[in-house]
């Protein structure tokens, strides 16, 4: 790691999490889960790695990032008029069906 990266990380730790870092953390968490879980399940089931099994995490990451971006955008739209907890519930209540159907259709 270079010094610029360390400075950026320290600045993020000192700042208020509402300034956007929490959104980035949410996307990073979804990326990690979407990439690691399928590969772990594939390995535990003894399924051999081939071109199709290697592409599964890539497809899941693409779907997950798109869904998370939509939910975060809806959260920020809802946040203008209500508290954070209510805004999160409203955003997810409004978007769970479209996100589910786009994921099902894509898979």
């Amino acid at each position: 790691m270079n010094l610029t990266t360390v400075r950026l990380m320290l600045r993020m730790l000192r700042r208020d999490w509402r300034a956007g870092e929490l959104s980035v953390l949410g996307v990073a968490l979804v990326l990690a889960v979407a990439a690691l879980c399928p590969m772990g399940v594939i390995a535990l089931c003894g399924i051999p790695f081939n071109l199709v099994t290697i592409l599964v995490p890539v497809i899941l990451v693409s779907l997950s990032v798109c869904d998370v971006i939509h939910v975060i955008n809806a959260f920020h739209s809802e946040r203008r008029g209500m508290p954070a907890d209510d805004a999160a519930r409203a955003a997810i209540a409004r978007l769970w069906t479209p996100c589910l159907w786009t994921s099902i259709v894509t898979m």
Side-chain angles (χ1 to χ4, degrees):
M1 271 197 286
N2 60 19
L3 190 57
T4 306
T5 306
V6 173
R7 285 182 186 161
L8 179 64
M9 290 168 63
L10 288 173
R11 183 193 287 158
M12 287 175 67
L13 287 174
R14 284 184 294 183
R15 288 183 58 178
D16 185 15
W17 282 101
R18 292 175 291 177
E21 286 85 2
L22 191 57
S23 299
V24 172
L25 184 62
V27 172
L29 179 65
V30 168
L31 283 173
V33 169
L36 295 177
C37 287
M39 295 306 281
V41 170
I42 289 170
L44 285 174
C45 292
I47 299 172
F49 289 108
N50 57 32
L51 186 60
V52 175
T53 57
I54 295 298
L55 286 176
V56 167
V58 175
I59 293 168
L60 291 176
V61 165
S62 301
L63 286 173
S64 300
V65 168
C66 292
D67 289 344
V68 167
I69 288 171
H70 288 300
V71 169
I72 290 172
N73 189 23
F75 168 76
H76 287 296
S77 296
E78 298 285 343
R79 180 78 171 106
R80 293 183 188 135
M82 59 181 70
D85 292 342
D86 295 336
R89 285 187 192 95
I92 291 173
R94 185 171 52 139
L95 289 179
W96 79 270
T97 305
C99 288
L100 175 69
W101 282 109
T102 57
S103 299
I104 289 172
V105 168
T106 304
M107 292 305 284

